[in-house]
Amino acid sequence: MEQIHWVRHRWQQLVAAESGRGRYSAPDAVPTKSSPKLHNAQLTGKRRTVIARHGPYQHEYDSVSKGCQGNGIRTTKYSLLSFIPMNLFQQFHRVANLYFLFLVMLNWVPVVEAFQKEITMIPLVVVLIVIAIKDALEDYRRYRFDQKVNNNVATVYSGKQQTYVDQRWQDVRVGDFVRLSCNEIIPADMLLLYSSDLHGICYIETANLDGETNLKQRQVVRDLPQGSELTPENFHSRIECENPNNDLSRFRGYMEHPSNARVGLHNDNLLLRSCTIRNTETIIGIVVYAGHETKAMKNNSGPRYKRSKLERRMNMDILWSVVLLVIMCLTAAIGHGLWLRNLEEASFLIPDTTSPALAGFYLFWTMIIVLQVLIPVSLYVSIEIVKLGQIFFIQNDVDFYNEYLDSRIQCRALNITEDLGQIQYVFSDKTGTLTENKMVFRRCTIAGVEYPHEENGETAKSLSCKSLSCNRSSVSLHTLTGHSEGEGEETPSPTLPRHSAFSSPMEKDVVPDPFLVQKLNCLSSPLFLLTDASMELTYIVDFFMALAICNTVVVSSPNQPRHVVQVPEVSRSPLKSLEDIKMLFQRFSLPRFSTLSPPHTTESTRSFTGRLFARGKPATFTPSPSPIPTKREHGSWKDELIYEAESPDEAALVHAARAYHCTLRGHSLERLLVELPGMGSLAVRLLHILPFDSTRKRMSVVVRHPLTKQVVVYTKGADSVIMDLAELPKGAEQSESRQGHIREQTQKHLDNYAREGLRTLCIAKRVLEEEEYEVWLKRHAFAETSIENREELLLESAQRLETNLTLLGATGIVDRLQEEVPETIEALQRAGVKVWVLTGDKQETAINIACACKLLRSTDHLLTANCGSKEACKALLLELRAEMECGEAAEGTSGFTLVIDGRTLEFALQEDLKGDFLELSRCCRAVICCRSTPLQKSQVVRLVQDQLQVMTLAIGDGANDVSMIQVADVGIGISGQEGMQAVMSSDFAISRFKHLRKLLLVHGHWCYTRLANMILYFFYKNVMYVNLLFWYQFFCGFSGSVMTNSWVLIFFNLLFTSVPPLLYGILDKDVSADTLIKLPELYKSGQNSKAYLTSTFWLTMLDAIYQSLVCFFVPYFAYAGSDADMLSFGSPINASSLLIILLHQVIESRTLTWLHALLLMGSALFYFSFTLVFSVVCVTCSPPNNPLGVDKLQMSQPLFYGVCALTTMLALLPRFLFQALHNSICPSDTVKAALMDQLNPDDYCRRMQRWNQTQAQIKTRSLVIDVEDSDIKVPDPDFRLPSELKEGSAATGSLLS
Amino acid sequence: MMASNYNAKEEDGHQPAAIGHGGAGTVKNKKPDNTAFKQQRLPAWQPILTAGTVLPAFFVIGLIFIPIGIGLFVTSNNIKELEVTSQLIVPCYNCSQSYSWNSTKPCTCSVPFSLDQPFESNVFMYYGLSNFYQNHRRYVKSRDDSQLNGDKASLKSPSKECEPYRTSDEKPIAPCGAIANSLFNDTLELYYIDPNGSRTAIPLVKKGIAWWTDKHVKFRNPGGNDNLTVVFQGTSKPVNWRKSVYELDPSDPDNNGFINEDFIVWMRTAALPTFRKLYRIIHKKPNMTPTLPLGRYILEVTYNYPVRSFEGRKRMILSTISWMGGKNPFLGIAYITVGSVCFFLGIVLLIIHHKYGNRNHSADIRS
């Protein structure tokens, strides 16, 4: 394998050198850092140096960028010249093709030659051609696509013309300056050097890369001269960065100016290829990675290849076929040897000196050629085609269509469709998978006081989720209402009805809590006093301030196209106005504020803000003379804001803040524009953003407070983390007790929220002293510029900042269940699938959601496992086992559910405890793992999969589910709110959890049954046909003769009988979709591999042997002793075997449509017409056994038909009878369901009800048995066969009594 | 075509993401067509085989097969057939013991036999060989069909398949190969012994024993109807042959060379090691007298063909023919048996249907 890779690599390099363009590189095959290092001495270690191509160091440029690739891409595997050798080379990696090749070569050895040389090559050639055509088409499509991409035009700086000219993408080189305008696609990975935005910001949309539609902010490299457009000639700096790699979220390097000053470069400076520039007029960047070295291309790996369980099973049986083949060949070889020994000299023997033993040995190989069809090599090709067909139908299922997203199911893995029908364990993420991941701000607690927002909950319920229809990306939705008249203006605004007529998305629709509004109103009330209440008010204002600014939300407005810069509007032309505002504020309010540290207001500000708000409303907007004319501009876009956030929580919080008039108006790199109640718009200087990461579980912003001018850190994060960080400040006792009280209360409220199933976030702040900040800033700057271990340094730096926080409060966000989740889970459980929920959420939240989605029932016995050490964990596991054992005797509990938290899980997953853990969880009906990390999720999946030998399915929507999705046998991604990482790594991508029901119960069942049946049929078909040839050996001295023309022999498998099985594998339908949905129990047949058991395989084999015996010996006796020649004897055998094989399929098929009829008839007609024409035309075309006249004569004789009819009937009789008896005497559930399908609607309903009732009874009984069963370690979960069930329940009954 | 749909996603980042990015430009609706085919709702016949549904089939099969079987059996019984195994008779036994390919002097013997009943209509006279593996792989291959089809190039240089019967004395063999080489060359003659003791030779017709297609399409003399002696100049006769191919039937140019019907019949290799081949036809007499009246006959054999080395046996078969071929009671019996079994099974199924079928449709599907 290594060598092959090397050869391929080498070869591709040659090709690349020839064409002067990039090379295709499979990500795994080519080490990422090798080539530039080899070529370029300038590159030290893992670094790459980039200098401007047309800059001052042109002489140096060539040597520096020699090792860098051009920007042309080539994703094709082949070129026109190399197609045939390369494709053949690749195809012969398959064992099946090698087998064919081996046979062909064998046939070239004269002593073993069985057929004409050309004929043995046909199967190989056909398979090779079919696959080559498929590859060629795919490759051509890639080529066309590459061409399209390579010929895109970008504006690149040209050294000759001293200006920017249009160039094709493929001509862009590392070191080029590229200028892009809004909505253009980035041609290569570039360092952002200039942006028309005054703050050096530019926005990119990475939808092409990861599917996330929200905008991401990129910024110009620090310390570059801004304002004027950059001139490439004067670009003296040198860029040192990492060698190309595939980490999208990491970029490290520095830029060295001529003055030797170094500026750190990071991911925020890098524009990634194939992203789109948004909201920014012009940008200029220098290319650092081009073509295949870009991160986008490095991340591009082909479709995933998983091998399905069924296929593994099948490979076993193929080995059995090989064994059978060897046995048959050996029999023939030995037979031939003995036969020859008994003959001395006969006129029909060609004089030969080979000994009988040697002749037997030769014959062994001849027989392998003759009986080659026994190994169903074409099965592999057929399976591929069938799976494509199955996927075609899955993708076209209208039930998987999501109108709101305009998306259907995506099948990313092409070869595990049948695994969908055998799933035993489902591991589900919670957020975004079971729930909508559409966050609605529901409650909050500020300073220890809870605001329940009851109305909010009401409206949330009344609104159906269907109101989302107008916008696809739920994060960027219209802003609406939420702007209630806080100022006590009674005038009913005429605009309001119109607003509410708009579809109003949930997360924006926050109805403020009246008490909170009241308190906020105090802010602008004249009776405002510096009391305890004002202290609380400080908390409230800070709280909402934090909600509004502690995020990475991008603000834009919907009435303008997205790219039209909204923030620059604030910052560019109205920069004057912003300054004006500041000045105004200083004039109006600051004198007072500066004296009082907690912000409160006076009458003058109140009237000012009152005026401000009055003008702010569009309805009352009149161009009245005003001291602040620019305000009106702001008023006009007040209600039209779009918040684009990276996570829905953020958006929900911003909208919540907005409902309290704490509105985020603009968000730029350095400034935030926030509107505060009673204070109007304030520009807040943004000093730093410490973005969210999963280790810290929090994010912070460092701002200079607009009023107090202090440096303030606002932190928002998971309650567990923030609660720990919110240390009691050492100092004033009063505040200490106050903080203690707040903490206590908040914790109480948090617990409540969690119980209600809300997602909780804590908000805290910290005021930094100037010196403190200076010290921190220095070290932070160091961390930012370092290339090595920068992440660690940054983490450390963030941790230094986020200490001693003052807890402000907490929020509770509700995340509603998706529609039909409980039904889906119930159906899955009825189908015998165990559902585990793995979530990062808190235990209470998880349990709550589990209850809501009926995973947990009220009758269930809950086992919780939380412990702090391994020993405790071990003890706990044993204790729970014991509890379960005594619990099972008690009536009333319908099952056990294990709830385990992350820490305990970590112990439980360790080597010596995982056995206990598995034992315990196996007996539980459901398991909920909360507070689990992505790694743990995948560990759990792997543990269950490996230890219990079951089929697992993991479903999730976020990046944290990726590892789990990849580990599981089937990974399903939900294309939801959290980007596309999960989808990108999944095998199937659906848009709602409820689709899982049909996907598994219907398509999974169908795909599995179809494929299993088709594979069995293929085995049957080959064994049946090949044995005919084998029986003939007994009558031709084991000499390897065949009684058929070799063309017909080869075509029999390749043409005459190949198409109907495909149709059978694609279209057969044992039970209708409706019934499968209604009776999830039917899914169990797939779980237990009912359609393809070892016994089924051998039964099929036996039947095949019987049929071939009949098919050979009936004609044998009919023609024995007659003057029939070989071909005349073979003709009825062939014809009847064809009829048998086709009719066998009719018996096995559950559905026959006109397509089936067409193809079956077509196949038969094709055979008969082919042989007829062949027998008329072929005079000397097929030596030695030219079929001239044979079939024509045969088919004109009644005997032929008499033999065919008898043979066909006799051969099919046992299977026909067996099926009928089996279906009558002990029908399987599937058959019963199929019988139900045929009833009239009334009977159908009645029968369905009865079935469900019986099922319910069985379930209550069987649960007890289940526990019993597992306790005595009966590994087989398949005990629900009717007869066994009776015994089982009887046994339990006696046990209970 | 289907494949292209799915692989679209493997491409790379340039492909517009499928989901969540329904920008303003996306007019195309991705909703799958709600057609019966795509939703797998094609009207279908769903046969579920149960005792109830299949039992009529069994009765029908029984009812059809039994009469056919009886018909076939009767037909087969009406065929008159007589088999004479020549080696069992002493003179021929001696011939068979002593004779080999190298013998130069033919050994003749006569076998007396008698008919118990007269043969009406045309009588076909076969010779039969047993234990002769004409279907041996290498034997079957050992021929050159182009040569036999009159191809002059192949005449001069026969196919390699013919080895080792390809050339002899550095001259190509015509016809080459093992099959031709082992041509059956006994001569059989049939005499009727009148009650008064005189022998009457029965006229044996040698025309029409080969398939029409073989005689007229597959086998052709090189150079058409030219003088065969000239055409076959420079070729050698097969090793075991006494005379050349153009001397097979000097009396009739239409039956000489490659298109000699005995030769053609032999070249059609038999399927099984025990076989018969058509030798002559005894045509029906125009008047009402039977073709072969009952009485005593003598079969005169000119013994040329050795079979002792492989323990083979020679036979002579006289048979009339019906619409379904020669005498073979097997098919009729098989039909009757299968038909009866089906009928019987039909009854069994009827019982089963009564026992289980009702239960199936009764209250509890699960019981």
Side-chain angles (χ1 to χ4, degrees), chain A residues 208 345 395 1041 1069 1118 1186 1229, chain B residues 13 40 135 145 309 328 366:
Chain A
N208 286 345
E345 187 209 355
Q395 283 195 327
S1041 282
K1069 205 160 69 166
N1186 288 302
D1229 284 357
Chain B
Q40 307 190 51
N135 55 12
D145 275 351
S309 60
N328 189 349
R366 263 275 170 184

Side-chain angles (χ1 to χ4, degrees), chain B residues 341-361:
Chain B
V341 166
C342 280
F343 207 83
F344 171 73
L345 285 175
I347 294 167
V348 171
L349 283 173
L350 198 65
I351 297 165
I352 288 170
H353 178 62
H354 270 284
K355 209 173 158 200
Y356 293 94
N358 289 341
R359 193 203 63 179
N360 253 355
H361 289 283

Side-chain angles (χ1 to χ4, degrees), chain A residues 508-546:
Chain A
K508 254 154 271 171
D509 208 27
V510 180
V511 178
D513 191 79
F515 295 105
L516 196 54
V517 171
Q518 216 169 18
K519 277 185 186 163
L520 269 171
N521 283 346
C522 294
L523 198 64
S524 38
S525 102
L527 306 165
F528 182 80
L529 288 169
L530 189 67
T531 58
D532 200 39
S534 75
M535 204 43 199
E536 194 189 338
L537 207 54
T538 336
Y539 274 100
I540 293 172
V541 174
D542 266 335
F543 180 80
F544 285 116
M545 181 91 163

Side-chain angles (χ1 to χ4, degrees), chain B residues 94-138:
Chain B
N94 289 340
C95 277
S96 73
Q97 288 304 302
S98 61
Y99 199 78
S100 78
W101 287 108
N102 302 329
S103 315
T104 45
K105 200 170 148 274
C107 175
T108 51
C109 60
S110 48
V111 188
F113 66 96
S114 63
L115 289 183
D116 301 337
Q117 46 188 337
F119 280 31
E120 275 116 22
S121 75
N122 288 344
V123 177
F124 293 79
M125 181 180 179
Y126 300 89
Y127 60 88
L129 287 173
S130 57
N131 217 10
F132 191 100
Y133 286 82
Q134 244 201 336
N135 55 12
H136 189 278
R137 179 171 57 92
R138 298 182 60 193

Side-chain angles (χ1 to χ4, degrees), chain A residues 1258-1279:
Chain A
I1258 287 165
K1259 193 175 291 164
T1260 49
R1261 273 181 272 162
S1262 68
L1263 275 164
V1264 186
I1265 304 162
D1266 197 357
V1267 174
E1268 188 64 28
D1269 245 8
S1270 49
D1271 191 44
I1272 50 176
K1273 295 199 175 70
V1274 178
D1276 185 15
D1278 167 34
F1279 56 87

Side-chain angles (χ1 to χ4, degrees), chain A residues 83-115:
Chain A
F83 179 75
I84 290 172
M86 267 293 278
N87 189 261
L88 284 179
F89 181 67
Q90 298 230 324
Q91 288 203 36
F92 280 118
H93 281 202
R94 295 175 146 218
V95 183
N97 290 343
L98 281 180
Y99 172 75
F100 270 135
L101 187 69
F102 168 70
L103 288 174
V104 170
M105 308 237 266
L106 211 54
N107 207 29
W108 279 88
V109 180
V111 279
V112 296
E113 179 191 356
F115 307 132

Side-chain angles (χ1 to χ4, degrees), chain A residues 551-664:
Chain A
N551 52 46
T552 51
V553 166
V554 176
V555 189
S556 52
S557 52
N559 51 357
Q560 297 156 311
R562 201 149 40 148
H563 64 272
V564 175
V565 191
Q566 208 284 316
V567 178
E569 193 188 311
V570 182
S571 50
R572 203 190 328 131
S573 60
L575 187 74
K576 294 192 295 287
S577 76
L578 205 67
E579 295 304 312
D580 278 343
I581 298 164
K582 256 188 185 168
M583 284 189 23
L584 274 167
F585 265 99
Q586 270 152 14
R587 210 187 315 146
F588 274 82
S589 49
L590 271 178
R592 288 162 210 272
F593 274 118
S594 54
T595 54
L596 294 162
S597 64
H600 61 99
T601 185
T602 59
E603 180 132 337
S604 69
T605 42
R606 192 199 77 91
S607 59
F608 161 67
T609 47
R611 281 207 309 279
L612 199 68
F613 275 115
R615 269 189 206 98
K617 272 184 217 79
T620 54
F621 168 67
T622 40
S624 62
S626 153
I628 32 169
T630 48
K631 275 283 158 217
R632 271 175 288 153
E633 306 298 320
H634 293 266
S636 67
W637 44 258
K638 174 180 252 175
D639 277 345
E640 304 284 342
L641 288 177
I642 289 180
Y643 295 131
E644 296 191 42
E646 275 172 23
S647 82
D649 303 65
E650 283 195 339
L653 291 180
V654 179
H655 283 291
R658 189 161 186 239
Y660 291 98
H661 308 301
C662 198
T663 315
L664 180 70

